Amino acid sequence: MKKILLIEDHEDLRENTAEILSLSNYEVLKAEDGKEGLEMARKERPDLIICDIMMPVLDGYGVKNSLQKSPDLSDIPFIFLTALADKDDIRKGMRAGADDYLTKPFEGIELLKAVETCLRRKDRHQEALTRRPARDRAPSATGDTTADQPFDLTGREIKEYRKKSLVYAEGQRPTNVFHILKGKVKTYISHTDGKELITRIDGPGAFIGYTAMLEDVNYRDNAQVLEDAELILIPRQEFLQWMGSNGEIVRQFIRLLARNAAEKEEGLLNLAYNSLRKRVANGLLQVLDGFRTAGAGADAIDISRENLAHVIGSATESLTRTLSEFKEEKLIDIREGKIYLLNEGKLRNLVN
Amino acid sequence: MKKILLIEDHEDLRENTAEILSLSNYEVLKAEDGKEGLEMARKERPDLIICDIMMPVLDGYGVKNSLQKSPDLSDIPFIFLTALADKDDIRKGMRAGADDYLTKPFEGIELLKAVETCLRRKDRHQEALTRRPARDRAPSATGDTTADQPFDLTGREIKEYRKKSLVYAEGQRPTNVFHILKGKVKTYISHTDGKELITRIDGPGAFIGYTAMLEDVNYRDNAQVLEDAELILIPRQEFLQWMGSNGEIVRQFIRLLARNAAEKEEGLLNLAYNSLRKRVANGLLQVLDGFRTAGAGADAIDISRENLAHVIGSATESLTRTLSEFKEEKLIDIREGKIYLLNEGKLRNLVN
DNA sequence: CGGATTGTTGATAGAATTCAAGCCCAGTGG
DNA sequence: CCACTGGGCTTGAATTCTATCAACAATCCG
């Protein structure tokens, strides 16, 4: 029997909800506030947590955030309960890693459906990740997993994307991991007031969309095509099975994730303490690095000022101004809107 | 025979170095610039890359960064060659993920030693990660790996750390993963001009130092104890074997990594577009979340203004000012230096 | 060829850092 | 026991930097 932990400070709603769940043959644990809920989660390891957002002392976000810190609790499916149906709140919840969102007041049927979906999802994810599918060849005697089938992307479905089309968007459930064959794709997160921050610009050879997939949550960011692109789609199920069965691929993706985090930390430092000038310089280098893949030895940066500004988190005007400065200082050249770096070394070593 | 790719634009040095390596029975591939080097790396998959930093067109950093994007090329050991022995440059290289650094001019013996160390390291890492050690019980017939030995941390060596002592520092080679039993630990990266940015403050239950370990690079950040702490040390070898043999643990750490990256993206957005006020509010909530683990239902924030300022990437004075504002607006209370949140909801929903 | 979008430049206002000074508390040594 | 010193915290004033608003030029596109 599945155990569900219900954290809700209003007695009526709590009892009511518990009742509904019990009737559907779930074991229900009840907690009256965030703190109690956290303790209970740790002790009981429920299969699912339903949690109110607005609570005294420790609110729903706090609960979720605390759980995230323990590797063994972070993957318990989590449903937020809330009176606020504000889009921004929902996004906040999703970003915190919630699996679903129920807006009060809700019907019993809604609740049960959400619960079932979450539980099923988790099971499937786990199953996919741990199953070792039958192999063509017998497993080696040593149990060595390194030499499993290599990372084979040939002969797969290729999908073409036009410029400006969305590869995926915030809030969607990841159904594919994408591998870029051609073109450029930007990945960005959006800010409340419409501004966006580009977290990466990827070219051929890169994988995108795997983070959310691996964490088993909905996308928290968006991916949009900058230049007509061809992507290989790797379906969820297949990707997870790979990860579950092939040690080498797991290793590679773990590295990718770790590197990703490291890159982002650099970005944080950059945004926190660097002057606009330095941020622009770093941005240029970063973007160019992204463009220089494999054979495509790009030497010019050809993206809109707006996008470039969003890479470094500044206003477009500020960017333009700085670019003009750089141009005067002969650090870069601008022809037909494209930016050519004339002195990479100097750009890299700019003082703040 | 091991293949080594040497990327260096100066002919003498290139030929000279290649000679040394050849004599030691390595197969040497030569490239004259970054672009050529990249292509060759892709085609030949060398076991090690030695690369000059200062090169026309595409410099060393660019090469390394490009390689990082391919999961299957990112783990080739990488040694930088440079005339600059500047500490800052070395750090930059290490952060880019280099395994070692050779300062020109170097002796043949130095070179060979570095090469061997790197190759050996890589092998050992790989071996540890892929070996499935003999288990107490026979592997189940289905080959299911989920139920391996659980995450057992009991009965391990516990080490005590005094306040202000360093758990690990930038540039060191990770030899342990740490698990916090008691106390608080801050993790930070340092900026050229001495400023630091705190990327996390962790309390009991958290793991630290695993990112660098998993990526198999030296630490890029520092961890320092804020409050007398007790940590469990998990030795490198053991940790990697766990990861290699236990599907469940791998899953958990993958999630942790993915979540980490997501958190950092939030941080980027925060730094990029939020006002100081909002950043302070978020910082307070973030820190409090970090403190609220398990039973320790902390309700006060008790860290120095300096540290708090470094969490949000601002000047201490700016922080203090904002805190005063918050106090006046009855959002927080300050008693004996400790900060108490009076209105978490309002803090969370502050407008920019 | 208009109309729209994108890029550039100027002027201005606002925000946050920096420099400076003073306060408060704890620890130290006379 | 008390004065003294130093570190952390707070407040004030000046300065610097960057965003914003506005106008205009350039480019794209049907």
Side-chain angles (χ1 to χ4, degrees):
Chain A
M1 193 158 75
K2 295 280 188 182
K3 251 193 284 187
I4 298 179
L5 171 59
L6 177 62
I7 311 175
E8 165 67 64
D9 58 327
H10 296 299
E11 197 179 337
D12 325 354
L13 186 58
R14 186 175 62 244
E15 296 307 326
N16 212 325
T17 311
E19 176 87 18
I20 298 175
L21 291 170
S22 293
L23 286 173
S24 287
N25 234 3
Y26 292 110
E27 180 186 343
V28 184
L29 306 165
K30 290 175 277 190
E32 296 186 18
D33 63 58
K35 227 184 113 189
E36 193 189 328
L38 258 185
E39 283 162 27
M40 215 174 259
R42 260 164 226 283
K43 213 163 35 189
E44 302 277 352
R45 322 236 145 199
D47 298 290
L48 175 85
I49 297 174
I50 302 176
C51 180
D52 192 13
I53 289 190
M54 295 268 263
M55 290 184 298
V57 194
L58 180 56
D59 67 4
Y61 299 118
V63 173
K64 183 63 182 148
N65 285 342
S66 288
L67 289 174
Q68 301 284 19
K69 291 205 311 170
S70 307
D72 50 339
L73 293 175
S74 69
D75 64 342
I76 299 176
F78 199 99
I79 298 180
F80 270 130
L81 233 47
T82 174
L84 330 151
D86 190 357
K87 206 177 138 202
D88 205 48
D89 276 294
I90 292 185
R91 213 186 39 187
K92 218 188 281 175
M94 285 299 188
R95 284 213 183 140
D99 294 85
D100 209 342
Y101 228 87
L102 277 177
T103 308
K104 298 190 266 191
F106 50 82
E107 304 282 326
I109 186 77
E110 266 184 278
L111 171 69
L112 291 172
K113 216 167 134 186
V115 167
E116 270 169 45
T117 312
C118 274
L119 286 173
R120 205 157 356 114
R121 223 189 241 180
K122 163 79 189 300
D123 283 348
R124 275 218 302 262
H125 186 78
Q126 182 124 355
E127 191 194 335
L129 253 176
T130 53
R131 191 196 314 156
R132 358 192 85 248
R135 302 226 204 102
D136 325 16
R137 52 205 157 88
S140 63
T142 62
D144 186 333
T145 52
T146 342
D148 303 40
Q149 55 279 63
F151 214 18
D152 189 13
L153 288 166
T154 56
R156 271 178 178 288
E157 184 199 357
I158 295 174
K159 198 165 159 191
E160 291 186 17
Y161 285 81
R162 314 234 86 217
K163 193 170 159 172
K164 294 207 176 177
S165 63
L166 278 174
V167 178
Y168 63 78
E170 205 169 335
Q172 290 176 357
R173 177 159 170 71
T175 52
N176 287 291
V177 167
F178 305 87
H179 179 72
I180 306 180
L181 281 185
K182 223 183 75 181
K184 299 192 176 86
V185 180
K186 74 171 175 183
T187 310
Y188 63 96
I189 36 182
S190 50
H191 192 250
T192 328
D193 52 4
K195 287 172 186 160
E196 62 183 43
L197 183 74
I198 298 179
T199 50
R200 14 189 347 127
I201 294 184
D202 286 300
F207 286 88
I208 55 178
Y210 56 90
T211 314
M213 177 88 74
L214 288 174
E215 210 193 332
D216 190 26
V217 296
N218 293 343
Y219 287 121
R220 270 177 295 247
D221 52 5
N222 312 267
Q224 190 184 18
V225 176
L226 288 182
E227 269 179 19
D228 291 3
E230 291 177 5
L231 308 184
I232 293 183
L233 275 60
I234 306 160
R236 174 187 196 77
Q237 195 68 8
E238 208 167 321
F239 177 72
L240 292 177
Q241 273 182 21
W242 257 359
M243 295 291 292
S245 65
N246 189 320
E248 179 59 15
I249 291 181
V250 172
R251 257 194 61 235
Q252 290 179 355
F253 271 89
I254 285 183
R255 282 182 63 89
L256 217 53
L257 280 170
R259 167 125 286 275
N260 230 288
E263 250 171 40
K264 262 149 210 158
E265 285 193 355
E266 279 299 308
L268 283 170
L269 202 58
N270 188 27
L271 278 174
Y273 299 129
N274 284 347
S275 66
L276 184 64
R277 262 178 80 84
K278 194 150 173 87
R279 263 160 45 215
V280 171
N282 284 341
L284 289 173
L285 292 165
Q286 181 193 326
V287 170
L288 197 60
D289 273 350
F291 283 7
R292 288 207 266 233
T293 42
D299 60 340
I301 296 170
D302 185 16
I303 64 175
S304 73
R305 299 302 124 107
E306 197 182 357
N307 275 330
L308 195 48
H310 287 164
V311 169
I312 62 171
S314 80
T316 12
E317 296 96 323
S318 304
L319 170 73
T320 310
R321 250 182 273 281
T322 313
L323 286 178
S324 308
E325 277 176 43
F326 284 173
K327 194 175 167 186
E328 260 179 31
E329 297 166 30
K330 303 254 179 277
L331 292 171
I332 62 170
D333 193 13
I334 302 179
R335 292 196 310 272
E336 299 149 9
K338 288 184 195 131
I339 304 167
Y340 297 83
L341 306 198
L342 300 179
N343 194 336
E344 242 179 279
K346 219 168 196 165
L347 276 176
R348 234 180 260 276
N349 294 312
L350 225 54
V351 289
N352 212 0
Chain B
M1 194 159 74
K2 297 278 188 181
K3 251 192 284 187
I4 297 179
L5 171 58
L6 176 63
I7 311 174
E8 164 68 63
D9 58 327
H10 296 299
E11 197 179 338
D12 325 354
L13 186 58
R14 186 174 63 244
E15 295 308 327
N16 213 325
T17 311
E19 176 87 19
I20 298 176
L21 292 169
S22 294
L23 286 173
S24 287
N25 233 3
Y26 292 110
E27 180 185 345
V28 184
L29 307 165
K30 290 175 277 190
E32 296 186 18
D33 63 58
K35 224 183 116 191
E36 195 188 327
L38 259 185
E39 283 162 25
M40 215 173 259
R42 260 164 227 282
K43 213 165 34 190
E44 301 277 351
R45 321 236 147 201
D47 299 291
L48 175 83
I49 298 174
I50 302 177
C51 180
D52 192 15
I53 289 190
M54 296 266 265
M55 290 185 298
V57 193
L58 180 56
D59 67 4
Y61 300 118
V63 173
K64 183 62 183 147
N65 285 343
S66 289
L67 289 175
Q68 301 284 19
K69 293 204 309 171
S70 307
D72 51 339
L73 294 175
S74 69
D75 64 344
I76 299 175
F78 199 97
I79 298 179
F80 270 130
L81 232 48
T82 173
L84 330 151
D86 189 359
K87 209 177 136 202
D88 205 48
D89 276 294
I90 293 186
R91 213 188 38 189
K92 218 190 280 174
M94 286 297 188
R95 282 215 183 136
D99 294 85
D100 210 340
Y101 227 87
L102 278 177
T103 309
K104 296 189 266 190
F106 50 81
E107 304 284 325
I109 186 77
E110 268 185 277
L111 170 69
L112 291 172
K113 218 166 130 188
V115 166
E116 270 170 43
T117 312
C118 273
L119 286 173
R120 205 153 2 110
R121 221 189 242 178
K122 163 80 190 298
D123 282 349
R124 276 218 301 262
H125 185 79
Q126 181 123 356
E127 190 193 335
L129 254 175
T130 53
R131 191 196 314 157
R132 356 192 88 247
R135 300 224 206 104
D136 327 16
R137 54 207 157 83
S140 63
T142 61
D144 185 333
T145 53
T146 342
D148 303 39
Q149 55 278 62
F151 214 17
D152 190 11
L153 288 166
T154 56
R156 270 178 178 287
E157 185 201 354
I158 295 174
K159 197 166 159 191
E160 291 186 18
Y161 285 81
R162 314 232 88 216
K163 193 171 159 173
K164 293 209 176 172
S165 63
L166 278 173
V167 179
Y168 62 77
E170 205 168 337
Q172 291 176 357
R173 176 158 170 71
T175 53
N176 287 290
V177 167
F178 305 87
H179 179 70
I180 307 180
L181 280 186
K182 223 183 77 184
K184 300 191 176 86
V185 180
K186 73 170 174 183
T187 310
Y188 63 95
I189 35 181
S190 50
H191 192 249
T192 328
D193 52 3
K195 288 171 186 161
E196 61 183 44
L197 184 74
I198 297 179
T199 49
R200 17 189 344 128
I201 295 186
D202 286 300
F207 285 88
I208 57 178
Y210 56 89
T211 314
M213 176 89 73
L214 288 173
E215 208 194 332
D216 190 26
V217 295
N218 294 343
Y219 288 122
R220 271 177 292 247
D221 53 4
N222 311 268
Q224 190 184 18
V225 176
L226 287 183
E227 270 178 20
D228 290 4
E230 291 177 5
L231 308 183
I232 293 183
L233 274 62
I234 306 159
R236 176 187 194 78
Q237 195 68 9
E238 208 168 321
F239 177 73
L240 292 178
Q241 273 182 22
W242 257 359
M243 296 290 293
S245 66
N246 189 319
E248 178 61 14
I249 292 182
V250 172
R251 259 194 60 237
Q252 289 179 356
F253 271 89
I254 285 183
R255 282 182 64 88
L256 217 52
L257 280 169
R259 166 127 285 275
N260 230 289
E263 251 171 41
K264 262 151 210 156
E265 285 193 356
E266 278 300 306
L268 283 170
L269 202 57
N270 188 29
L271 277 173
Y273 298 130
N274 284 346
S275 65
L276 183 65
R277 263 177 80 84
K278 194 151 174 89
R279 260 158 49 212
V280 172
N282 284 341
L284 289 172
L285 293 166
Q286 182 193 326
V287 170
L288 198 59
D289 273 351
F291 284 7
R292 286 206 267 232
T293 40
D299 60 341
I301 296 170
D302 185 15
I303 64 175
S304 73
R305 298 305 124 104
E306 199 183 355
N307 275 330
L308 195 49
H310 288 164
V311 169
I312 62 171
S314 80
T316 0
E317 296 95 324
S318 306
L319 170 73
T320 309
R321 253 182 271 278
T322 313
L323 286 179
S324 310
E325 276 176 44
F326 283 175
K327 194 174 165 187
E328 260 179 32
E329 298 166 30
K330 303 251 179 283
L331 293 171
I332 62 171
D333 194 12
I334 303 180
R335 291 196 311 272
E336 298 148 12
K338 288 184 193 130
I339 303 167
Y340 296 82
L341 306 198
L342 300 180
N343 194 335
E344 245 180 273
K346 220 169 198 166
L347 275 175
R348 232 179 262 277
N349 292 312
L350 225 55
V351 289
N352 213 359

